[in-house]
Amino acid sequence: MSADSLHYKSITEISELIRRKEAKPSEITEAMLGRIAKLDGQFHGYALVLAERAMAQAKQYDAEIAKGIWRGPLHGVPIGLKDLCYTSFAPTAGGTTIHAKFVPSFNATIVDRLEVAGAVTLGKLKMTEGAYTSHHPAIQAPLNPWNVNYWVGSSSTGSGVATSAGLCYGAIGSDTGGSIRFPSATCGLTGIKPTWGRVSRHGVFPLADSLDHVGPMCRSAADAAAMLGVIAGADINDPTALRAPVPNYLAGIDDGIRGLRIGVDRRYTQEGIDRHVVAALVQAERTLADLGADIREVHFPPYQKLVSQWIAMCSVETAEAHLDTYPSRKSEYGPDLAQLIEQGRATSGVDIAAIHHERLKFSGSLAAMFEDIDLLLIPTMPVPIPTLTKMSEYGADPSVLLSILRFTAVFDFSGSPTITLPMGMASDQMPLSMQLVGPHLSEDVLVRAGAAFQSVTDWHTRRPPIE
């Protein structure tokens, strides 16, 4: 099989080729490493490429599969790790310069789970500093393969770029205010922000522990389901990891959504939202209805106050996470992360108590809403993907960040799972994106709904114009 035909295949397709012995993990890995060497100099998705180690893994998997050993759908599949995942075999910088040479003594739980499942680790993917909004000034930021003049999101930027450009088959991302969902949206990907605690955070650099989620970024709902099934589950090293059994997310993924109750609140999703986003979302609603979903009007809980409190809540938890290096090494921090930490250090306990109470009220109201529906349909962003110039202008206005967080941050507060799906193309030929949101531990329903939508649309198969 031609190496040129491999890089945009889905995880499920590659997995089947490997299982049937029609392609070897070493051949696939070698082709992927060649593509990284060819293209990553343009797009800067990787912080570190582990070529020698990846090939050694792949050859081990060649031998296993030749003997009839089959570890599952990730066996022999090359993936990338966001560089906040601890790896004992490579530095874990977390987007910082402070930790550039930090090699942990152990792997993150999710890294071990991926490798036990047979995934080939191609390397560590770039990210914003400390997983906040911007890259450290000393580090070249990843560039959007759809158009390098457009925003690539934050903070799982390398994960979005590499997966979209065909430089890995899937990647790990993390999400505190939207950092799986924004790069998935800007790069035309499918991403899952799981229920808080569904995936262990042991060995994952924190931004804000009570808001942080870890999940997969892939090119289809089925691929994301395959990765989530490997990394989810209880963890003795993370007492916040949920102990609920992990279903086989790929089983029943093609069962359709007839009768599934999907809620829409047109005031929440249309007022003040760009008309191109609204038009694509309305068409997505029609598509879901045509697939048999029961579309129901709902009233989304009051959210504006909670969104306005996200930065303050994040700042306090970030300040706590950086006590070992801030302010003692303050000069080595980039300006945005330093400003966030300073805000956190100045925020009072009374302020945090007020945010906590608002969070509890919103989460309770959201849970009540889900008693009448199975999923909620919303955009990922209120506007099409902005240019880098526009984002630079936005940077001076905190209200713009809060506007962009409208459809993301509240679900980090509530811990609700969401799946991000491409839903169209804007007039500038950049992807448009939507989310389906569910009650806690409804990831099986989310991937089934995502797969149903993708079975009758081709937005997730569109590729950046890089070849």
Side-chain angles (χ1 to χ4, degrees):
M1 179 173 294
S2 168
D4 292 338
S5 68
L6 289 173
H7 55 269
Y8 276 137
K9 289 192 178 296
S10 68
I11 288 175
T12 51
E13 289 172 330
I14 284 291
S15 178
E16 188 62 12
L17 289 174
I18 292 171
R19 190 184 67 81
R20 296 200 308 252
K21 302 179 183 177
E22 294 177 18
K24 292 182 177 181
S26 60
E27 296 169 344
I28 295 166
T29 301
E30 186 174 28
M32 192 61 74
L33 290 169
R35 185 169 172 84
I36 293 169
K38 176 184 175 183
L39 292 177
D40 197 54
Q42 298 176 44
F43 302 116
H44 311 287
Y46 278 87
L48 179 66
V49 178
L50 301 168
E52 185 175 333
R53 185 177 186 274
M55 285 305 301
Q57 283 183 300
K59 288 175 182 177
Q60 174 190 339
Y61 299 149
D62 285 353
E64 290 178 358
I65 290 162
K67 295 176 182 177
I69 298 169
W70 177 243
R71 300 195 193 191
L74 295 188
H75 199 174
V77 177
I79 57 101
L81 300 173
K82 185 174 180 178
D83 196 26
L84 47 53
C85 302
Y86 279 25
T87 46
S88 61
F89 48 83
T92 301
T96 71
T97 56
I98 289 176
H99 298 297
K101 297 182 180 180
F102 170 56
V103 180
S105 60
F106 62 92
N107 292 332
T109 295
I110 55 173
V111 173
D112 282 339
R113 287 179 177 174
L114 286 164
E115 296 205 332
V116 167
V120 175
T121 301
L122 291 170
K124 308 296 289 290
L125 296 163
K126 285 186 178 178
M127 55 181 284
T128 56
E129 185 184 17
Y132 191 47
T133 55
S134 61
H135 295 86
H136 191 282
I139 296 173
Q140 166 66 55
L143 299 175
N144 195 323
W146 287 86
N147 186 322
V148 296
N149 296 311
Y150 281 72
W151 191 48
V152 76
S154 63
S155 65
S156 308
T157 50
S159 300
V161 167
T163 307
S164 181
L167 307 182
C168 60
Y169 291 100
I172 292 297
S174 68
D175 193 306
T176 307
S179 296
I180 286 172
R181 290 163 290 169
F182 291 140
S184 293
T186 62
C187 293
L189 301 177
T190 300
I192 295 176
K193 181 194 81 66
T195 305
W196 188 82
R198 175 79 286 193
V199 175
S200 169
R201 289 173 292 109
H202 175 66
V204 176
F205 265 125
L207 173 58
D209 267 317
S210 80
L211 298 169
D212 291 347
H213 301 65
V214 181
M217 297 169 63
C218 300
R219 294 194 289 264
S220 73
D223 286 2
M227 285 191 72
L228 181 62
V230 167
I231 62 176
D235 178 13
I236 193 171
N237 292 311
D238 179 1
T240 70
L242 300 177
R243 301 187 63 81
V246 179
N248 180 347
Y249 294 115
L250 287 172
I253 196 171
D254 297 323
D255 287 352
I257 57 170
R258 185 160 300 280
L260 197 72
R261 302 167 301 168
I262 297 181
V264 293
D265 180 340
R266 293 183 176 84
R267 184 174 182 179
Y268 176 49
T269 61
Q270 296 186 15
E271 287 189 7
I273 307 304
D274 182 90
R275 61 185 178 87
H276 298 96
V277 174
V278 171
L281 192 72
V282 168
Q283 182 55 52
E285 178 188 324
R286 291 176 185 147
T287 299
L288 293 166
D290 289 343
L291 287 163
D294 176 9
I295 305 297
R296 298 189 175 191
E297 296 273 356
V298 297
H299 296 289
F300 193 70
Y303 66 92
Q304 294 91 337
K305 184 176 181 180
L306 191 61
V307 171
S308 74
Q309 295 169 325
W310 180 85
I311 295 175
M313 188 71 191
C314 183
S315 73
V316 170
E317 296 198 24
T318 304
E320 188 276 332
H322 286 258
L323 285 174
D324 289 344
T325 52
Y326 195 101
S328 62
R329 299 177 68 178
K330 178 179 177 179
S331 64
E332 298 173 66
Y333 278 72
D336 291 343
L337 184 58
Q339 182 180 8
L340 181 74
I341 293 172
E342 289 289 354
Q343 179 175 342
R345 293 171 68 88
T347 300
S348 74
V350 172
D351 291 337
I352 293 303
I355 297 171
H356 181 60
H357 295 156
E358 189 67 23
R359 180 180 192 173
L360 290 175
K361 287 189 292 184
F362 173 82
S363 299
S365 298
L366 188 67
M369 187 193 74
F370 277 121
E371 291 177 2
D372 298 319
I373 59 171
D374 300 300
L375 300 177
L376 177 72
L377 172 65
I378 61 172
T380 307
M381 292 166 48
V383 294
I385 303 166
T387 63
L388 292 174
T389 301
K390 182 64 72 174
M391 284 303 297
S392 179
E393 295 171 2
Y394 288 166
D397 185 354
S399 67
V400 175
L401 173 59
L402 296 177
S403 173
I404 290 176
L405 293 171
R406 172 176 179 167
F407 297 117
T408 56
V410 288
F411 303 112
D412 290 298
F413 272 121
S414 67
S416 309
T418 90
I419 188 168
T420 303
L421 304 162
M423 68 168 178
M425 300 291 287
S427 57
D428 55 11
Q429 297 306 299
M430 296 295 287
L432 294 170
S433 177
M434 71 185 200
Q435 292 179 85
L436 291 167
V437 186
H440 287 197
L441 296 176
S442 62
E443 289 85 357
D444 55 337
V445 182
L446 288 167
V447 297
R448 179 160 54 90
F453 182 77
Q454 292 179 342
S455 73
V456 295
T457 61
D458 68 352
W459 305 117
H460 66 294
T461 69
R462 307 289 180 97
R463 302 295 176 232
I466 57 178
E467 291 183 290

